[in-house]
Amino acid sequence: MSVQIIARDGEPEYAVLPWADYQALLQAAGRQDVAAAIAPSPTPTANRAPLAQLQTVREAKGLSPEALARSVGISPHYLAMIESGERQPDAAILRSLAWELGLEGWS
């Protein structure tokens, strides 16, 4: 088992271990229900509306392309390229878009 200890002010505060080791500990303790309840969330692309629907979602929220782009910190032109599928935004931009649009699963 590989464990990383994180200390604060010289005192151990957290123990970080690989997910598989954590699950094995939960299973040994008879707590499989906990492991299932806190399993890692799926990748952002697994449960979000496709980027192809970004324009539809933005319009449904009543946001102009300029307002959304500026609030996310990108240019309106770049937002248009994302909405058209010409560009694939990085994770930080996806998180910002999700935050501004009130969407879950993009974080």
Side-chain angles (χ1 to χ4, degrees), residues 8 67 81:
R8 184 185 302 194
M81 289 191 301

Side-chain angles (χ1 to χ4, degrees), residues 55-103:
Q55 182 177 356
T56 304
V57 173
R58 176 184 53 74
E59 290 171 349
K61 298 281 183 175
L63 292 170
S64 71
E66 294 79 15
L68 178 59
R70 296 297 176 208
S71 67
V72 169
I74 60 176
S75 71
H77 179 71
Y78 187 60
L79 177 62
M81 289 191 301
I82 293 170
E83 287 182 346
S84 71
E86 189 177 338
R87 292 283 188 265
Q88 179 68 33
D90 64 18
I93 293 173
L94 283 176
R95 282 192 300 272
S96 294
L97 287 167
W99 177 262
E100 293 298 325
L101 295 171
L103 302 173

Side-chain angles (χ1 to χ4, degrees), residues 27-46:
Q27 187 175 14
R31 300 290 310 263
Q32 289 116 344
D33 58 321
V34 175
I38 60 172
S41 60
T43 59
T45 56

